[in-house]
Amino acid sequence: MLFLKSILGLLPFLCCYASALVVPEQHGKLLPTRTTQPFLHPGMLHTEQDFTRMRSKVSANASPWITSWNILTANSHAASTYSPRPAPTIYRGSDGVHSQNYPQLYNDVAAAYALALRWKISGDTAYADTAVKVFNAWAYNLTLITGSTDADLAAGIYGYEFANAAEIMRSYSGWSAADQTQFKTMMQNVFYSINHDFLIRHNDAKIDHYWANWDLCNIASMLAIGILTDNSTMYQEAITYFKSGGGNGNIDKFIWTEYTVDSQVLGQGQEAGRDQGHATLDFALAGALAQMAYNQGDDLFAYESNKLLAGSEYCAKYNAGSDVPYTTYTNSDVTQTIISNSSRGTIRPEWELLYAHYADLKGLNATYTGKMRDIINAASGGAEGGGGNYGSTSGGYDQLGYGTLTFRLK
């Protein structure tokens, strides 16, 4: 199976632009690729223009940005004394033999991102040096993510998050070119190979078996690693899947029916009848995916007449306490006749990103997304926190957070 996953991970390189590619003789080499247009760096969740705004707001002690900054600097993951705990193999989900150790990965990923932000905004290289220690620890140790099929979730969620942290740090002179190449190789071989295999095979399950969040996290990871490694083939694979893929990460299957309520379009999400913890996770992932693509010139926010906004407003409206219409959802596994109130009002630091883009940048109606933003901020000490501020279990690390600091425009 491991051999099969390694081969499957190379398929897009063998099938696309084959004349421009060289398949490595061993797993440890980074695949050379043809880039059709230059990528913007930094250009995932944040651009250099974004960091200029963040520095300005923090320097001016402006609220609420300074509140989010203070939450960041008080988080132990953002301390220059942080010590990484790498492992050669990460287990998520029980394989009946090994203990699960994936918290080591999600804690270190959260730390890498927090440290990278702290360096980029403050200029203090002590935080950059600690971030580099985290990247190198994993780059030279991690070779496998396994366990149960939940390994696919680990590769997707922590893949896009880790790539984002590295993207911030790529300009740091204290992170050598050789070490950056090793990190990129690890991201491609360990994370991307799983992302690609999952979206192609879905573990040989029926195409509608896996919930939308499984697809969305793997699409996000694929896109992020494509940007990190300047790989346009990988990047385009992610964009294409979001628009027309066979699984529930395809936006038309993820947001599968729409309503007009009080002159506003609302889009029912694929997991609305499952529970609101996962329904909100879908929009945390889709928002991150759209933000990364937007910064590279692909406006997934606007795709299909702002369909992502319709979905965000539906999900936010229900979780903020209002009623929404619902249509019975059926796939090969379930029939869900009513919207689920399980975990209604889930606290996730995700809404700043969506509101900033749709309401502040584009002037569109994102009323309920804004209400959820304010609810989450009030529950988080006045602004979004990050990994470590929302409990110690994996749900608190499913998104990078700190969006009040990083995405708030007004």
Side-chain angles (χ1 to χ4, degrees), residues 205-217:
K206 291 183 179 180
I207 193 62
D208 63 353
H209 169 73
Y210 283 96
W211 299 100
N213 74 88
W214 289 68
D215 273 14
L216 289 168
C217 69

Side-chain angles (χ1 to χ4, degrees), residues 95-322:
D95 64 359
V97 178
H98 301 92
S99 297
Q100 297 185 63
N101 63 351
Y102 69 102
Q104 292 175 225
L105 178 58
Y106 68 63
N107 274 282
D108 281 6
V109 169
Y113 179 70
L115 290 160
L117 284 181
R118 198 164 181 183
W119 163 69
K120 193 71 173 177
I121 295 170
S122 73
D124 190 333
T125 59
Y127 303 105
D129 290 338
T130 304
V132 168
K133 290 178 182 177
V134 176
F135 294 128
N136 289 348
W138 288 93
Y140 289 95
N141 280 281
L142 183 63
T143 60
L144 180 65
I145 299 174
T146 187
S148 70
T149 55
D150 284 358
D152 297 317
L153 289 173
I157 295 171
Y158 314 138
Y160 99 81
E161 292 179 341
F162 220 176
N164 267 276
E167 178 74 359
I168 297 171
M169 293 296 303
R170 66 187 301 142
S171 64
Y172 180 54
S173 60
W175 193 15
S176 73
D179 288 343
Q180 288 199 39
T181 296
Q182 178 67 26
F183 183 82
K184 293 174 184 177
T185 301
M186 181 275 292
M187 292 298 296
Q188 178 177 283
N189 290 342
V190 178
F191 289 87
Y192 168 74
S193 63
I194 295 175
N195 305 149
H196 173 72
D197 178 48
F198 177 77
L199 292 173
I200 292 295
R201 293 193 309 107
H202 288 92
N203 295 308
D204 299 323
K206 291 183 179 180
I207 193 62
D208 63 353
H209 169 73
Y210 283 96
W211 299 100
N213 74 88
W214 289 68
D215 273 14
L216 289 168
C217 69
N218 280 282
I219 298 169
S221 179
M222 180 182 292
L223 185 120
I225 297 169
I227 297 170
L228 182 69
T229 61
D230 292 293
N231 189 314
S232 60
T233 307
M234 191 184 299
Y235 174 89
Q236 193 57 48
E237 182 183 0
I239 295 291
T240 299
Y241 200 97
F242 182 73
K243 293 180 177 180
S244 60
N248 287 319
N250 174 335
I251 190 169
D252 293 323
K253 297 181 179 182
F254 158 42
I255 302 170
W256 68 278
T257 190
E258 295 183 311
Y259 315 89
T260 299
V261 179
D262 298 329
S263 300
Q264 184 185 31
V265 179
L266 302 176
Q268 182 176 323
Q270 190 255 345
E271 302 201 55
R274 181 188 182 192
D275 64 68
Q276 297 310 308
H278 288 97
T280 54
L281 173 59
D282 289 341
F283 290 95
L285 295 168
L289 172 65
Q291 184 70 31
M292 291 187 288
Y294 184 81
N295 284 335
Q296 295 298 331
D298 290 300
D299 194 350
L300 299 183
F301 288 108
Y303 187 65
E304 293 191 350
S305 302
N306 302 300
K307 195 167 192 176
L308 183 57
L309 173 60
S312 176
E313 284 292 277
Y314 178 99
C315 184
K317 185 174 183 178
Y318 184 69
N319 278 277
S322 298

